[in-house]
Amino acid sequence: ALMLLVTTLNSLTASGGGVVVPPGDAGALAREIRALLADPTRRRAMGQAGRGYVEAHFSRSVWAGRLTRIMEGLTSTPPRSPA
């Protein structure tokens, strides 16, 4: 699993699976890259956290469950009367 460097905060980075650097800040990006290159344990931990987040939120079974709930909601709602 790979860690992630991004320029905006998102749920994946909040889960510990990535690092946020300010947009356009090449110095901050370089510092984070150097820090990650120097710390294989941190990279590995971030990769595992990111993978766990993605599997918990975007796996086939998660999406199938979401789609099933949507479809069930559509089929259990009575049709609207024409206005």
Side-chain angles (χ1 to χ4, degrees), residues 5 22 33-34 38-39 48-49 55 64 73 77 83:
L5 284 167
I33 290 172
R34 282 193 296 272
D39 192 346
Q48 291 170 347
E55 288 175 347
T77 304

Side-chain angles (χ1 to χ4, degrees), residues 5 19-22 24-34:
L5 284 167
V19 174
V20 177
V21 295
D25 190 341
L29 179 60
R31 283 188 298 279
E32 285 299 336
I33 290 172
R34 282 193 296 272

